[in-house]
């Protein structure tokens, strides 16, 4: 008989447990049973039944804080009749977090970890075999955390919340972009499984490529019922494992390969290898296709009866992280199928504070957006959760590499029991669960814990108490090596490869760039060239509609209570103000629309400064990972996509910055040679394609203002441009571009990064006035014999501005545009933008086409259709046009009546509208 699984989704109730309620809770809640959603968390049910208001709306967060301090009992009837099977198990794929499970009052077991799966054998539970009452009693996570904290002592961290003491989503307790909503409940499916003889306890299809042949090693562990001595010889019978791999062939056909193995009664685990000749390779997005193969694992008796079956999809690829010492330090090169990937990544946080509400459709939407923006790696951050199987399936499908953190973030973690044993079980469970996904390329021990320990003086508080270092240096790498040796493990992010080095050293492995934003203006991104930037970011508020719908403030003001509540970063509103002041000037709190536009523009400009600088210093830098892609509630944050799924202008700017070919104007790099690189080998990868829609250009950043606050909290080594040039000698790169100084002393130069192939093109560079008059123009060759970086020096006629307050430099190559101003925008004498608009229904029926034709210089035109309708979207961000140019916008989600209101204030606006010149 084949294993049967019955998910328990219906007929659940939830009630507050006990006869006492926490302060702030409705008194009439005692004894009241509410209909419950499973999988789910209690906030969802309380909100649906009107017990609480939406905690993400306005300032409701504080009024719902009591929910996390209550105990909750989930109940439903369950049929435990074996129905002819030998075993009946209760299977819980995720319980949040501290729970006692009982059947008719008989305790089955207890849990204290949100991040792992549980299984309970119901065979030996006293009572009848039919209908029973199942109860899941969830204790307040605060109470469990308090017990552990009393034994472990104070653990340093960023917030006055006890997340290090309980194995639960840390950001449930609030973060500098998140509200506090401490959840409880069966957040992943609960099921009854019935089986006989044996079942597949664990299946790990690990893949590699050897000499062009796909290799799948299926690591399989079985559990026996203990009741399968069919031949009555006193011991269990042999079992048979059959592993089948089927998928596409080079010639367009289908291959089907199969291997078998027999398990004796003494064996509960084995490895079954299946080889697929001439397997098509799975590639990261932009480097090739993502062919996937169907994998079927069957557990059979020796007579061929199928006892259990697992199916999955995988892809064949080789993957490694190269950290071999070089002339500068240690790189952090992600190598897939022999090709060094130019990583253009994003950090991922839980997409909802009530994480059980995140379904496959939402995951697919967010990750498709990421792929459309040019992203090829997603880092799943350690203060969230190990994501659902659907998340990694979508990454496999889209070619998005996955960097997976273990669930440790920004704090010291106790190494005492029961935490240590839970960490072991959690790590083994998730490493095994995720091992079959070709997108997953590395495991990371923690987020910032070692770095913060060193720079924030945690040792003075901790003394000789364990704080997690043993997990990161010994326990976790041992588990990864034992359970999934095919994946790379890095100790931390940031991490420099050795305890003897400062963890955030720019010359060694991974780096977090947070002095910029926290203390320094964005041109300081150019102070160094880290080997791999795994976090950097700049804040902006969400889309106008998202924030307007989230608060009741009337009118909207920068200092309105609701707006301020939806900003969680330390000194966040002041940092936003300090960020825009050097470039755009100060903004009165009453000028909300001006503030909203300028903070969005500053975010795009700041991120452009970092990405342009780092990507055009390949191969010294081989990766940038933006903090962050998404949000879990409406908030001013570092995200590119807000919690409603609306794209900020930054998202459109990423489409330009993350394209295979990046054009930029930057300060002259005074180095012994240009920064270029040989890139991926020719081992079968196909050229990636970039967007063809002329996505929004952005400026390089500007010189620091005199009043810019700053000063790094600690010394970090600085990577010079000369060091970048020196590293070029490590590869077979030709000298590229034109030497600095060849045309005089232009302070700026053009740099072109081509990530996938050589390039033979030209760049048109013009020096223009703010009125759009062309003062000088040159056309210069851009030649790359292979993927790398071309640096093109500029003659003084276009590179030197006679009047920085009235002139700018514009560079164009194909559809790509870069713009440079030498003075802060607030000091430039921008003239009023003059342009004409026409709008008509799109020929393909998908929305409306808005055409803007410039009669003057149009600087940073932004279209915000969400101001007209909640469904309104646009396919571009900030656009700069010269006189006579036109740009097409695709508007979606607007009616004809909405379109007629495009002239309303701030629906279309330009930089000059907001500078008050």
């Amino acid at each position: 008989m084949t294993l049967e699984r019955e998910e328990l989704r219906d007929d659940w109730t939830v009630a507050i447990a006990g006869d006492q309620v926490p302060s702030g809770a409705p008194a009439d809640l005692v004894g009241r049973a509410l209909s419950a959603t499973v999988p789910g968390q209690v906030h969802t049910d309380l909100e649906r039944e009107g017990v609480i208001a939406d905690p993400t709306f306005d300032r409701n967060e504080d009024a719902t804080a009591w929910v996390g301090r209550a105990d909750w009992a989930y109940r439903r009837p369950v049929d435990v009749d074996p129905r002819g099977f030998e075993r009946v198990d209760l299977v819980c794929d995720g319980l949040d977090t501290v729970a006692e499970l009982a059947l008719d009052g008989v305790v089955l077991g207890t849990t204290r970890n949100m991040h792992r799966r549980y299984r309970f054998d119901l065979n030996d539970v006293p009572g009848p075999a039919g209908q029973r009452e199942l109860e899941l009693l969830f204790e307040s996570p605060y109470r469990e955390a308090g017990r552990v904290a009393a034994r472990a002592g104070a653990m340093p961290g960023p917030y006055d919340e006890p997340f290090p003491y309980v194995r639960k989503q840390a950001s449930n307790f609030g973060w500098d972009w998140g509200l506090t909503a401490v959840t409880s409940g069966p957040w992943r499916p609960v099921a009854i499984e019935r089986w006989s003889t044996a079942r597949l306890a664990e299946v790990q299809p690990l893949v590699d490529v050897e000499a062009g042949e796909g290799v799948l090693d299926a690591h399989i562990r079985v559990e026996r019922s203990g009741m399968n001595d069919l031949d009555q010889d006193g011991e269990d019978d042999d079992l048979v494992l059959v592993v089948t791999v089927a998928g596409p062939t080079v010639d367009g056909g289908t291959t089907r390969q199969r291997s078998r193995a027999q398990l004796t009664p003494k064996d509960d685990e084995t490895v079954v290898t299946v080889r697929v000749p001439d397997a098509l390779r799975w590639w990261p997005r932009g480097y090739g296709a993502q062919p996937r193969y169907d994998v079927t694992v069957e557990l059979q008796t020796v007579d061929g009866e199928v006892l259990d079956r697992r199916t999955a999809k995988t892809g064949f690829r080789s993957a490694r992280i190269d950290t071999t010492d070089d002339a500068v330090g240690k790189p952090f090169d992600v190598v897939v199928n022999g090709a060094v990937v130019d990583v253009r990544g994003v950090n991922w946080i839980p997409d909802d504070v009530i994480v059980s509400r995140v379904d496959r459709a939402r995951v697919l939407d967010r990750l498709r957006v990421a792929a459309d923006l040019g992203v090829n790696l997603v880092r799943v951050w350690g203060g969230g959760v190990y994501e659902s199987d659907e998340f990694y399936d979508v990454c496999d499908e889209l070619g998005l590499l996955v960097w997976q953190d273990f669930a440790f973030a920004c704090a010291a973690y106790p190494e005492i029991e029961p935490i240590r044993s839970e960490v072991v079980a959690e790590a083994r469970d998730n490493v095994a669960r995720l091992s079959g996904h070709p997108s997953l390329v590395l495991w990371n021990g923690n987020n910032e814990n070692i770095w913060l320990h060193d720079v924030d003086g945690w040792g003075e508080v901790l003394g000789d108490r364990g704080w997690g270092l043993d997990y990161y240096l010994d326990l976790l790498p041992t588990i990864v090596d034992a359970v999934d040796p095919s994946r790379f493990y890095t100790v931390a992010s940031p991490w420099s490869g050795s305890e003897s080095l400062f963890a955030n050293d720019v010359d060694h492995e991974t780096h977090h760039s947070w002095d910029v934003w926290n203390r320094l203006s964005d041109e300081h991104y150019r102070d160094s060239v880290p080997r791999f930037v795994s976090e950097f970011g700049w804040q902006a508020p969400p889309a106008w509609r998202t924030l307007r719908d989230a608060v009741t403030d009337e009118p909207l003001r920068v200092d309105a209570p609701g707006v301020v509540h939806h900003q969680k970063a330390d000194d966040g509103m002041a940092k936003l103000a300090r960020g825009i002041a050097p470039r755009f000037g100060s903004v009165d709190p009453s000028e909300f629309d001006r503030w909203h536009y300028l903070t969005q523009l500053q975010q795009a400009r700041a991120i452009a400064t970092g990405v342009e600088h780092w990507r055009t210093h390949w191969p010294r830098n081989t990766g940038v990972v933006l903090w962050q892609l998404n949000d879990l509630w409406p908030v001013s944050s570092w995200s590119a996509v807000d919690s409603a799924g609306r794209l900020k202008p930054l998202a459109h700017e990423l489409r330009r910055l993350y394209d295979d070919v990046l054009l930029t104007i930057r300060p002259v790099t005074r180095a012994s040679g240009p920064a270029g690189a040989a890139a991926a080998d020719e081992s079968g990868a196909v050229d990636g394609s970039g967007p063809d829609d002329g996505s929004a250009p952005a400026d390089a950043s500007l010189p620091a203002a005199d009043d810019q606050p700053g000063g790094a909290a600690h010394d970090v080594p600085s990577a010079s441009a000369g060091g970048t040039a020196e590293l070029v000698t490590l590869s077979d790169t030709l000298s590229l571009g034109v030497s600095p100084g060849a045309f005089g002393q232009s302070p700026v130069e053009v740099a072109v990064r081509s990530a996938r192939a050589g390039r033979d093109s030209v760049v048109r560079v013009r020096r223009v006035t703010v009125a759009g008059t062309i003062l000088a123009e040159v056309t210069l060759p851009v030649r790359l014999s292979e993927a790398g970086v071309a640096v093109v020096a500029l003659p003084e006629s276009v590179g030197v501005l006679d009047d920085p307050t009235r002139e700018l430099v514009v560079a164009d190559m194909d559809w790509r545009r870069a713009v440079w101003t030498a003075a802060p925008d607030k000091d430039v004498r921008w003239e009023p933008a003059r342009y004409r608009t026409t709008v008509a229904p799109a020929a393909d029926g998908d929305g409306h086409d808005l055409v803007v034709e410039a009669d003057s210089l149009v600087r940073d035109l932004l279209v915000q259709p969400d101001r007209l309708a909640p469904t309104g979207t646009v396919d571009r961000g900030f656009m700069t046009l010269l006189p006579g140019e036109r740009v097409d916008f695709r508007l979606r989600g607007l009616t004809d009546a909405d379109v007629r209101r495009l002239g309303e204030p701030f629906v279309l606006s330009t930089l000059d509208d907001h500078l008050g010149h």
Side-chain angles (χ1 to χ4, degrees), residues 344-466:
R344 288 149 275 175
V346 289
N347 282 272
W348 172 273
I349 65 170
D351 203 60
D352 197 314
V353 68
I354 315 300
V355 70
S356 59
R357 295 193 295 208
V358 181
D359 58 13
R360 180 183 172 85
R362 199 196 302 190
V363 166
L364 183 60
D365 178 72
R366 297 291 189 269
L367 293 178
R368 277 180 173 168
V369 167
D372 178 63
L373 301 180
V375 169
N376 59 20
L377 180 144
V378 177
R379 176 188 171 212
V380 181
W381 170 74
V385 298
Y386 305 91
E387 287 290 342
S388 64
D389 293 332
E390 289 85 357
F391 178 94
Y392 304 94
D393 286 340
V394 172
C395 288
D396 294 343
E397 175 187 331
L398 297 177
L400 295 172
L401 299 174
V402 174
W403 160 326
Q404 178 68 53
D405 282 11
F406 283 101
F408 300 92
C410 301
Y413 284 79
E415 295 179 1
I416 64 170
E417 295 294 346
I419 298 295
R420 184 181 180 87
S421 293
E422 288 298 334
V423 169
V424 171
E426 164 192 322
R428 291 188 63 87
D429 187 12
N430 286 286
V431 171
R433 178 173 70 92
L434 303 183
S435 62
H437 293 280
S439 56
L440 180 63
V441 291
L442 74 104
W443 283 93
N444 171 43
N446 70 87
N447 176 76
E448 296 186 347
N449 296 0
I450 296 175
W451 177 36
L452 294 178
H453 175 275
D454 294 344
V455 300
D456 285 353
W458 289 359
E460 298 175 8
V461 176
L462 292 164
D464 60 358
R465 288 179 294 138

Side-chain angles (χ1 to χ4, degrees), residues 156-170:
Y159 311 114
D160 188 23
E161 290 282 348
F163 67 85
Y165 305 103
V166 59
R167 299 307 298 156
K168 175 175 171 57
Q169 175 186 336

Side-chain angles (χ1 to χ4, degrees), residues 540-549 592 596 600 635 642-644 646-649 864 866:
W544 180 89
R545 175 69 61 175
T546 301
L547 189 53
R548 175 66 281 180
D549 288 349
F592 177 86
H596 188 267
Q600 297 280 358
V635 64
D642 71 24
S643 62
R646 296 187 176 98
L647 275 61
K648 295 183 184 179
Q864 300 182 82
D866 60 292

Side-chain angles (χ1 to χ4, degrees), residues 661-723:
V661 179
L662 172 63
L663 170 70
T664 180
I665 304 172
R666 68 184 192 185
V668 166
T669 302
R670 300 297 178 185
S672 59
D681 63 23
E682 301 296 327
S683 58
V686 299
D687 290 343
S689 60
D692 59 3
D693 59 355
S695 51
D699 302 334
S701 68
L702 306 169
D706 292 339
D707 61 351
Q708 174 65 41
H714 47 266
D715 295 330
V716 294
S718 189
S720 67

Side-chain angles (χ1 to χ4, degrees), residues 820-902:
W820 173 270
T821 56
D825 291 88
K826 64 184 177 63
D827 296 334
V828 177
R829 298 180 178 273
W830 301 108
E831 297 189 1
R834 302 189 311 278
Y835 55 88
R836 289 164 284 123
T837 63
T838 57
V839 63
D844 60 5
D846 184 19
H848 292 79
D849 286 327
L850 168 67
V851 179
V852 177
E853 297 180 88
D855 294 324
S856 69
L857 177 70
V858 176
R859 184 66 168 133
D860 290 318
L861 170 66
L862 182 65
V863 182
Q864 300 182 82
D866 60 292
R867 287 176 173 265
L868 300 176
T871 53
T873 66
V874 64
D875 63 345
R876 300 177 188 274
F878 293 105
M879 298 296 298
T880 293
L881 304 177
L882 298 182
E885 294 180 341
R886 57 173 279 173
V887 62
D888 299 338
F889 296 90
R890 176 58 64 92
L891 307 178
R892 296 181 175 89
L894 300 181
T895 65
D896 290 341
D898 294 330
V899 168
R900 289 193 289 271
R901 297 165 48 221
L902 282 170

